[in-house]
Coordinates of all heavy atoms in Angstrom, one line a residue:
Q985 N -15.8 23.8 -6.5 CA -14.8 23.1 -5.6 C -14.9 21.6 -5.8 O -13.9 20.9 -5.7 CB -15.1 23.5 -4.2 CG -14.8 25.0 -3.9 CD -15.2 25.4 -2.5 OE1 -16.3 24.9 -2.0 NE2 -14.5 26.3 -1.9
G986 N -16.1 21.1 -6.1 CA -16.3 19.7 -6.3 C -15.6 19.3 -7.6 O -14.9 18.2 -7.6
A987 N -15.6 20.1 -8.6 CA -14.9 19.8 -9.9 C -13.4 19.9 -9.6 O -12.6 19.0 -10.2 CB -15.3 20.8 -10.9
D988 N -12.9 20.8 -8.8 CA -11.5 20.9 -8.5 C -11.0 19.7 -7.8 O -9.9 19.2 -8.0 CB -11.2 22.2 -7.7 CG -11.4 23.5 -8.4 OD1 -11.4 23.4 -9.7 OD2 -11.4 24.6 -7.8
T989 N -11.9 19.2 -6.9 CA -11.5 18.0 -6.1 C -11.3 16.8 -7.1 O -10.2 16.1 -7.0 CB -12.7 17.6 -5.2 OG1 -12.8 18.6 -4.2 CG2 -12.4 16.3 -4.5
L990 N -12.2 16.6 -8.1 CA -12.0 15.5 -9.0 C -10.7 15.7 -9.8 O -10.0 14.7 -10.1 CB -13.2 15.4 -9.9 CG -14.5 15.0 -9.3 CD1 -15.7 15.1 -10.3 CD2 -14.4 13.7 -8.6
A991 N -10.4 16.9 -10.2 CA -9.2 17.2 -11.0 C -8.0 16.9 -10.3 O -7.0 16.3 -10.8 CB -9.3 18.7 -11.5
Y992 N -7.9 17.4 -9.0 CA -6.7 17.1 -8.2 C -6.5 15.7 -7.9 O -5.4 15.2 -7.8 CB -6.7 18.0 -6.9 CG -6.3 19.4 -7.1 CD1 -7.1 20.4 -7.3 CD2 -4.9 19.7 -7.2 CE1 -6.7 21.7 -7.5 CE2 -4.4 21.0 -7.4 CZ -5.3 22.0 -7.6 OH -4.9 23.3 -7.8
I993 N -7.6 14.9 -7.7 CA -7.5 13.5 -7.4 C -6.9 12.8 -8.6 O -6.1 11.9 -8.5 CB -8.9 12.9 -7.0 CG1 -9.3 13.4 -5.6 CG2 -8.8 11.4 -7.0 CD1 -10.7 13.0 -5.2
A994 N -7.4 13.2 -9.8 CA -6.8 12.6 -11.0 C -5.4 12.9 -11.2 O -4.6 12.1 -11.6 CB -7.6 13.1 -12.2
L995 N -5.0 14.1 -10.8 CA -3.6 14.5 -10.8 C -2.7 13.7 -9.9 O -1.6 13.2 -10.3 CB -3.4 16.0 -10.4 CG -2.0 16.6 -10.4 CD1 -1.5 16.7 -11.8 CD2 -2.0 17.9 -9.7
L996 N -3.2 13.4 -8.7 CA -2.5 12.6 -7.7 C -2.3 11.2 -8.3 O -1.2 10.6 -8.2 CB -3.3 12.5 -6.4 CG -3.3 13.7 -5.5 CD1 -4.4 13.6 -4.4 CD2 -1.9 13.9 -4.9
L1095 N -10.6 15.9 -0.8 CA -9.3 16.2 -1.3 C -8.2 16.1 -0.3 O -7.2 15.6 -0.5 CB -9.3 17.5 -2.0 CG -8.0 18.0 -2.6 CD1 -7.5 17.0 -3.7 CD2 -8.1 19.4 -3.3

Side-chain angles (χ1 to χ4, degrees):
Q985 289 173 330
D988 288 346
T989 296
L990 295 177
Y992 276 102
I993 290 175
L995 179 72
L996 287 167
L1095 179 57

